[in-house]
Structures are given as structure tokens and as C-alpha cells.
Amino acid sequence: MTGGPLDAWLRARGEQRAEAGLRRRLRTLPPVCVDLASNDYLGLSRDPRVVAAAQDALDEWGTGSRASRLVTGTLGVHETLERELCELTGQPAALAFSSGYAANTGVLTALGDADTLIVSDAHAHASLVDGARLSRSPVRIARHSDVGHVAQLLAERSETRAVVVVESVYSVWGDHAPLAELAALCRTENALLLVDEAHGIGVAGGGRGLVHELGLAGSPHVAVTMTLSKALGAQGGAVLGSETLREHLVNTARPFIFDTALAPASAAAATEAARIVRAHPELSGALHERARFVASALGTPLARAAVQSLPVASAESALRASEEIRSRGVVVGCFRPPSVPDGISRLRITAPADMELHVLARALETVRDVVGDEPQGA
């Protein structure tokens, strides 16, 4: 039996992706490998203290929260998590979501309406892009980290309210947003600066994030989103800001209201990880030491981030190189359009803070051996 029009369309789209070298597939780690691709920046996902916290939560609360936070799903472990996230970031209030994606779509859809302009950086993560699209707000795209362009868009607006959307540390280039300048601009223009700290927590400011490092924590014109699945080694997300913002989200953010609460084990793991990051800023220092090691070994510009990227000439070259590196026992990230905002395919390399340098050195030799045979991009 042949498929109908939908199957024909799906096959045609699949053929287009294959021709462009953009077909994606699910991946697992080989049984024995050096993992330079994961987001476990500080190695906390397997830290005995974090694992024990998750196991204790399983014993006390069970495997799931069983309901929305507004029904019976709010457990003591969620309240403890939110307090610890506030302690880590210096924010007055926090609300946990089931993922960083849900946090970003939740806050933007809750703040958006026809009288709220969203100004989004051109390199903003897909979850922020989707949140802006779903928000019912007019949206303008600002040139990447161009404060002057943001100022122009805010000055030209006819809407009463505005939200400026950026990442603190961008995941492709590893550059930092000009948060101090943007926060001052938002204060003058009576706008909210929404900062996604997905790649900032555990990385910048001794692990407490770029917003905290710059003294912007608690500012009424600044709010933060974050994921619990990168440096904190767990799962989930959060929005942090004023008590008023939190109350608004509890009542209006659909990804919060209509979603089962974050699983207790994930919440407890993230809580313990947040405590560790706050108590041990040297973890962030070790992460940056390894980032410098990677950049030096590969001859690439150093990004002030966990992720270092190596440009490759084409999507096909990036995929071919990553597969060859993988076959030699090292796993690196392979990022191709549309996941890269500038259209340049890259191998992304993340050396966690707990990786021994001699192990890292051998793995980077493998990367150099393979990529040396591939033409690099701009």
C-alpha cells in the first residue's frame, strides 16, 4: 500500500535534507570513549553528592511529581530548589519548569501581547525564538550584540512595553552579551532585559552567571532564565526575577500551568549541584583552564565559554570529520545549519572541569589528526 500526499511530502523533505547534508539522527555514546560533546560542563551529573541527592529524593517522593504544580505537584523538593537557585544567582525569586525550553517559551508567552514589543538578538536560542513567535507580540530582530540597534528598535516602538531577549554567553561563538550596556538601556527605555544564562551558569562569575558577575542580579529591569541540564548536571529549567514576575508566571505561563511538575530526583540533583557550584567557584576556574587548553591545542580563538568551536568548510565535511573522530574513540559535537546562526558548520568541543589534562591532550591529538585533513571554514 502506497502512502498518501503527506508521506510523499515527508519523503521529499527528507531527500532535500539528505542532499544538503543536514539529515540528523539520534546518537548514543560508545561504551568506551572520551566525551567532548556533552553539556555536563562541571562533571556534576555523576558527582556522588548529586547522585545521592537524587536517590534520596526517589526514596522520599517517588519517581514522578504526579501532577501539575497547581494541583498536587508542588513538593518540598521544588521549593528547596527554587531557594537554592536564588542563592546561586542572587535573584529574589525563582520558578522551576520541566526544562529550559519550557522556561523560555513560558516566560515569553506569559509576558507577550499586542502591546509588548520583543527585541530578540539574532543569535538567540531556538527556544527563545519559539517563545517570541508564540507570544502574540510584535517581534524585531536586533543585530547580534549591537546595543545601538537595540536602542534604535526600542526608540521606534509604539508599544507600551518591551522585552529585550539575549543570551549571556552564546553557545556557538562563546561570546558574552554586552549585558551592562543593555541593562542600562532597558532601564532608560523602561524595558525588561531577559537573559538566558543556559551557558553562563557554572561558567561565568565563578559559576554564578554573568548577570551576577556584572552586579545586575536583583535589578528590576533584568530577569533570568536558565537550564538545570548543563553545568548543574540534572534536568529542568527556571525563570528568576522579582516576586511579582514569579506570581505572574504561576498564573499565566502555560508551559508551567499545564505541565507535570519537574521530577523530584531531577529537582534534588539540581539543588545539590547549585550548592556545590556556589561553594566551589574553583570548578569554574578548572573549566576555563581546560577551555584554554583546547583552544591552544587546536589553534582556535579562545571563547570565554565552556564550548570551543572549530569551523569546518561544509556541513558534509563537519559530519564526515565528526564520524571519523568518533570511530577513533572521541566524541565531539557536530553543529550544522540551521543550528548555527551564521551558517558556518562547526565541530563543538567541550572539556568538562573534571577531565584529566593528559586524557584531554590525547583526545585533541585525534581531533587534530582528522580535522587536519578537512578544509576549514571561515
Side-chain angles (χ1 to χ4, degrees), residues 150-189:
V150 175
Q152 175 188 336
L153 295 174
L154 290 177
E156 292 173 350
R157 83 181 195 261
S158 59
E159 296 82 7
T160 303
R161 293 171 296 281
V163 180
V164 176
V165 179
V166 300
E167 296 181 45
S168 62
V169 180
Y170 288 91
S171 61
V172 174
W173 289 352
D175 55 319
H176 291 193
L179 293 187
E181 294 88 345
L182 288 170
L185 174 64
C186 288
R187 188 178 304 110
T188 300
E189 295 291 338

Short mmCIF file of all heavy atoms in Angstrom, two decimals, residues 150-189:
data_model
loop_
_atom_site.label_atom_id
_atom_site.label_comp_id
_atom_site.label_asym_id
_atom_site.label_seq_id
_atom_site.Cartn_x
_atom_site.Cartn_y
_atom_site.Cartn_z
N VAL A 150 19.62 47.79 19.14
CA VAL A 150 18.56 47.59 20.13
C VAL A 150 17.97 48.92 20.56
O VAL A 150 16.74 49.08 20.66
CB VAL A 150 19.11 46.83 21.36
CG1 VAL A 150 18.04 46.72 22.45
CG2 VAL A 150 19.59 45.44 20.96
N ALA A 151 18.83 49.92 20.79
CA ALA A 151 18.35 51.25 21.18
C ALA A 151 17.45 51.84 20.11
O ALA A 151 16.40 52.45 20.41
CB ALA A 151 19.54 52.16 21.44
N GLN A 152 17.83 51.67 18.85
CA GLN A 152 17.02 52.18 17.75
C GLN A 152 15.64 51.52 17.73
O GLN A 152 14.61 52.21 17.59
CB GLN A 152 17.73 51.94 16.42
CG GLN A 152 16.93 52.33 15.20
CD GLN A 152 17.60 51.88 13.91
OE1 GLN A 152 18.81 51.68 13.86
NE2 GLN A 152 16.81 51.71 12.87
N LEU A 153 15.61 50.20 17.87
CA LEU A 153 14.34 49.48 17.83
C LEU A 153 13.44 49.86 19.01
O LEU A 153 12.21 49.97 18.85
CB LEU A 153 14.60 47.98 17.81
CG LEU A 153 15.32 47.45 16.57
CD1 LEU A 153 15.67 45.98 16.73
CD2 LEU A 153 14.47 47.66 15.33
N LEU A 154 14.03 50.06 20.17
CA LEU A 154 13.23 50.48 21.32
C LEU A 154 12.70 51.89 21.14
O LEU A 154 11.55 52.20 21.50
CB LEU A 154 14.07 50.38 22.60
CG LEU A 154 14.42 48.98 23.09
CD1 LEU A 154 15.32 49.05 24.32
CD2 LEU A 154 13.17 48.16 23.39
N ALA A 155 13.54 52.78 20.60
CA ALA A 155 13.12 54.17 20.40
C ALA A 155 12.00 54.28 19.38
O ALA A 155 11.15 55.19 19.47
CB ALA A 155 14.32 55.02 19.98
N GLU A 156 11.99 53.41 18.41
CA GLU A 156 10.99 53.47 17.34
C GLU A 156 9.68 52.80 17.71
O GLU A 156 8.70 52.90 16.97
CB GLU A 156 11.55 52.78 16.09
CG GLU A 156 12.72 53.53 15.44
CD GLU A 156 13.35 52.74 14.31
OE1 GLU A 156 13.01 51.53 14.15
OE2 GLU A 156 14.19 53.31 13.60
N ARG A 157 9.63 52.13 18.83
CA ARG A 157 8.45 51.33 19.13
C ARG A 157 7.25 52.20 19.44
O ARG A 157 7.36 53.30 19.98
CB ARG A 157 8.73 50.39 20.29
CG ARG A 157 8.60 50.99 21.69
CD ARG A 157 8.94 49.92 22.74
NE ARG A 157 8.53 50.27 24.08
CZ ARG A 157 9.33 50.77 25.01
NH1 ARG A 157 10.60 51.03 24.72
NH2 ARG A 157 8.86 51.03 26.23
N SER A 158 6.08 51.66 19.14
CA SER A 158 4.82 52.29 19.52
C SER A 158 4.17 51.56 20.69
O SER A 158 3.22 52.07 21.29
CB SER A 158 3.86 52.30 18.32
OG SER A 158 3.61 50.97 17.86
N GLU A 159 4.72 50.37 21.02
CA GLU A 159 4.14 49.57 22.09
C GLU A 159 4.50 50.15 23.46
O GLU A 159 5.56 50.75 23.63
CB GLU A 159 4.65 48.13 21.99
CG GLU A 159 4.22 47.40 20.73
CD GLU A 159 5.10 47.73 19.53
OE1 GLU A 159 6.12 48.42 19.72
OE2 GLU A 159 4.75 47.32 18.41
N THR A 160 3.64 49.93 24.43
CA THR A 160 3.86 50.45 25.78
C THR A 160 5.02 49.73 26.47
O THR A 160 5.83 50.37 27.15
CB THR A 160 2.58 50.27 26.62
OG1 THR A 160 1.49 50.93 25.97
CG2 THR A 160 2.76 50.86 28.01
N ARG A 161 5.08 48.42 26.30
CA ARG A 161 6.09 47.62 26.98
C ARG A 161 7.07 47.03 25.98
O ARG A 161 6.77 46.92 24.78
CB ARG A 161 5.42 46.50 27.79
CG ARG A 161 4.59 47.02 28.97
CD ARG A 161 3.78 45.91 29.60
NE ARG A 161 2.79 45.37 28.66
CZ ARG A 161 1.64 45.95 28.37
NH1 ARG A 161 1.32 47.09 28.97
NH2 ARG A 161 0.81 45.42 27.50
N ALA A 162 8.23 46.60 26.49
CA ALA A 162 9.22 45.95 25.62
C ALA A 162 10.04 44.96 26.43
O ALA A 162 10.30 45.17 27.62
CB ALA A 162 10.14 46.99 24.98
N VAL A 163 10.44 43.87 25.77
CA VAL A 163 11.32 42.87 26.35
C VAL A 163 12.48 42.66 25.39
O VAL A 163 12.28 42.39 24.20
CB VAL A 163 10.59 41.52 26.57
CG1 VAL A 163 11.55 40.49 27.17
CG2 VAL A 163 9.37 41.70 27.47
N VAL A 164 13.70 42.82 25.89
CA VAL A 164 14.90 42.59 25.10
C VAL A 164 15.44 41.22 25.48
O VAL A 164 15.67 40.94 26.66
CB VAL A 164 15.95 43.68 25.35
CG1 VAL A 164 17.24 43.37 24.59
CG2 VAL A 164 15.40 45.05 24.95
N VAL A 165 15.63 40.35 24.49
CA VAL A 165 15.94 38.95 24.72
C VAL A 165 17.36 38.65 24.24
O VAL A 165 17.68 38.83 23.05
CB VAL A 165 14.94 38.04 23.99
CG1 VAL A 165 15.28 36.58 24.21
CG2 VAL A 165 13.52 38.35 24.46
N VAL A 166 18.21 38.17 25.14
CA VAL A 166 19.60 37.84 24.80
C VAL A 166 20.02 36.59 25.57
O VAL A 166 19.34 36.16 26.50
CB VAL A 166 20.58 38.99 25.15
CG1 VAL A 166 20.23 40.26 24.38
CG2 VAL A 166 20.61 39.26 26.65
N GLU A 167 21.15 36.02 25.16
CA GLU A 167 21.83 35.02 25.97
C GLU A 167 23.02 35.69 26.64
O GLU A 167 23.63 36.60 26.08
CB GLU A 167 22.31 33.86 25.10
CG GLU A 167 21.18 33.09 24.45
CD GLU A 167 21.68 31.93 23.61
OE1 GLU A 167 22.56 31.19 24.08
OE2 GLU A 167 21.17 31.76 22.48
N SER A 168 23.37 35.23 27.83
CA SER A 168 24.53 35.83 28.50
C SER A 168 25.82 35.38 27.82
O SER A 168 26.71 36.19 27.53
CB SER A 168 24.55 35.44 29.98
OG SER A 168 24.67 34.04 30.14
N VAL A 169 25.93 34.09 27.56
CA VAL A 169 27.07 33.51 26.85
C VAL A 169 26.50 32.71 25.69
O VAL A 169 25.68 31.81 25.90
CB VAL A 169 27.90 32.59 27.77
CG1 VAL A 169 29.07 31.99 27.00
CG2 VAL A 169 28.39 33.35 29.00
N TYR A 170 26.90 33.05 24.48
CA TYR A 170 26.33 32.41 23.31
C TYR A 170 27.03 31.09 23.03
O TYR A 170 28.25 30.97 23.14
CB TYR A 170 26.39 33.35 22.10
CG TYR A 170 25.40 34.47 22.22
CD1 TYR A 170 25.75 35.67 22.82
CD2 TYR A 170 24.09 34.32 21.78
CE1 TYR A 170 24.83 36.70 22.97
CE2 TYR A 170 23.16 35.34 21.92
CZ TYR A 170 23.53 36.53 22.51
OH TYR A 170 22.62 37.54 22.66
N SER A 171 26.24 30.11 22.61
CA SER A 171 26.73 28.74 22.57
C SER A 171 27.58 28.43 21.34
O SER A 171 28.31 27.44 21.35
CB SER A 171 25.55 27.76 22.60
OG SER A 171 24.70 27.96 21.48
N VAL A 172 27.51 29.23 20.30
CA VAL A 172 28.29 28.95 19.09
C VAL A 172 29.63 29.67 19.13
O VAL A 172 30.69 29.06 19.03
CB VAL A 172 27.49 29.32 17.83
CG1 VAL A 172 28.36 29.16 16.59
CG2 VAL A 172 26.24 28.46 17.71
N TRP A 173 29.61 30.98 19.28
CA TRP A 173 30.85 31.75 19.31
C TRP A 173 31.46 31.81 20.71
O TRP A 173 32.64 32.12 20.86
CB TRP A 173 30.61 33.17 18.82
CG TRP A 173 30.35 33.27 17.34
CD1 TRP A 173 30.46 32.27 16.42
CD2 TRP A 173 29.96 34.43 16.63
NE1 TRP A 173 30.15 32.74 15.18
CE2 TRP A 173 29.84 34.06 15.27
CE3 TRP A 173 29.70 35.75 17.00
CZ2 TRP A 173 29.47 34.97 14.28
CZ3 TRP A 173 29.32 36.65 16.01
CH2 TRP A 173 29.21 36.26 14.68
N GLY A 174 30.66 31.58 21.75
CA GLY A 174 31.16 31.68 23.12
C GLY A 174 31.36 33.10 23.57
O GLY A 174 31.99 33.34 24.61
N ASP A 175 30.82 34.07 22.83
CA ASP A 175 30.98 35.47 23.20
C ASP A 175 29.96 35.86 24.26
O ASP A 175 28.91 35.22 24.42
CB ASP A 175 30.86 36.38 21.98
CG ASP A 175 29.55 36.16 21.22
OD1 ASP A 175 29.13 34.99 21.06
OD2 ASP A 175 28.93 37.15 20.79
N HIS A 176 30.27 36.93 25.01
CA HIS A 176 29.39 37.42 26.06
C HIS A 176 28.55 38.58 25.53
O HIS A 176 29.04 39.45 24.81
CB HIS A 176 30.21 37.92 27.25
CG HIS A 176 30.91 36.83 27.99
ND1 HIS A 176 31.48 37.02 29.24
CD2 HIS A 176 31.14 35.53 27.69
CE1 HIS A 176 32.02 35.88 29.64
NE2 HIS A 176 31.83 34.98 28.73
N ALA A 177 27.29 38.58 25.91
CA ALA A 177 26.41 39.70 25.56
C ALA A 177 26.85 40.94 26.33
O ALA A 177 27.34 40.84 27.46
CB ALA A 177 24.97 39.36 25.90
N PRO A 178 26.68 42.13 25.74
CA PRO A 178 27.00 43.37 26.44
C PRO A 178 25.92 43.71 27.47
O PRO A 178 25.17 44.67 27.34
CB PRO A 178 27.05 44.40 25.31
CG PRO A 178 26.11 43.87 24.28
CD PRO A 178 26.22 42.38 24.35
N LEU A 179 25.86 42.90 28.53
CA LEU A 179 24.74 42.98 29.47
C LEU A 179 24.68 44.30 30.22
O LEU A 179 23.58 44.84 30.47
CB LEU A 179 24.81 41.83 30.48
CG LEU A 179 24.58 40.42 29.93
CD1 LEU A 179 24.50 39.42 31.08
CD2 LEU A 179 23.33 40.35 29.07
N ALA A 180 25.83 44.84 30.63
CA ALA A 180 25.80 46.10 31.39
C ALA A 180 25.19 47.21 30.55
O ALA A 180 24.33 47.98 31.03
CB ALA A 180 27.22 46.48 31.83
N GLU A 181 25.60 47.31 29.28
CA GLU A 181 25.07 48.35 28.40
C GLU A 181 23.59 48.12 28.11
O GLU A 181 22.80 49.07 28.08
CB GLU A 181 25.86 48.39 27.10
CG GLU A 181 27.31 48.83 27.26
CD GLU A 181 28.24 47.64 27.58
OE1 GLU A 181 27.74 46.56 27.94
OE2 GLU A 181 29.46 47.83 27.45
N LEU A 182 23.22 46.87 27.89
CA LEU A 182 21.82 46.56 27.60
C LEU A 182 20.93 46.82 28.82
O LEU A 182 19.80 47.31 28.68
CB LEU A 182 21.69 45.11 27.15
CG LEU A 182 22.22 44.79 25.75
CD1 LEU A 182 22.26 43.29 25.53
CD2 LEU A 182 21.37 45.48 24.68
N ALA A 183 21.44 46.48 30.01
CA ALA A 183 20.65 46.73 31.22
C ALA A 183 20.43 48.22 31.43
O ALA A 183 19.33 48.66 31.81
CB ALA A 183 21.35 46.12 32.43
N ALA A 184 21.48 49.04 31.20
CA ALA A 184 21.33 50.49 31.33
C ALA A 184 20.32 51.01 30.32
O ALA A 184 19.50 51.89 30.63
CB ALA A 184 22.68 51.17 31.15
N LEU A 185 20.39 50.50 29.10
CA LEU A 185 19.44 50.93 28.06
C LEU A 185 18.01 50.55 28.45
O LEU A 185 17.09 51.37 28.30
CB LEU A 185 19.83 50.28 26.74
CG LEU A 185 18.87 50.49 25.57
CD1 LEU A 185 18.79 51.97 25.20
CD2 LEU A 185 19.32 49.65 24.36
N CYS A 186 17.81 49.33 28.93
CA CYS A 186 16.47 48.89 29.32
C CYS A 186 15.92 49.72 30.48
O CYS A 186 14.72 50.01 30.55
CB CYS A 186 16.48 47.41 29.66
SG CYS A 186 16.66 46.34 28.22
N ARG A 187 16.81 50.11 31.38
CA ARG A 187 16.39 50.97 32.49
C ARG A 187 15.89 52.31 31.96
O ARG A 187 14.83 52.80 32.38
CB ARG A 187 17.55 51.17 33.46
CG ARG A 187 17.16 51.90 34.75
CD ARG A 187 18.35 52.03 35.69
NE ARG A 187 18.95 50.72 36.00
CZ ARG A 187 20.13 50.31 35.57
NH1 ARG A 187 20.87 51.09 34.79
NH2 ARG A 187 20.58 49.12 35.90
N THR A 188 16.61 52.89 31.02
CA THR A 188 16.23 54.18 30.44
C THR A 188 14.95 54.08 29.64
O THR A 188 14.09 54.97 29.70
CB THR A 188 17.37 54.69 29.53
OG1 THR A 188 18.56 54.85 30.30
CG2 THR A 188 17.00 56.01 28.88
N GLU A 189 14.81 52.97 28.89
CA GLU A 189 13.66 52.81 27.99
C GLU A 189 12.48 52.10 28.65
O GLU A 189 11.49 51.78 27.98
CB GLU A 189 14.09 52.03 26.74
CG GLU A 189 15.10 52.76 25.87
CD GLU A 189 14.50 53.97 25.18
OE1 GLU A 189 13.26 54.02 25.04
OE2 GLU A 189 15.27 54.88 24.80
#
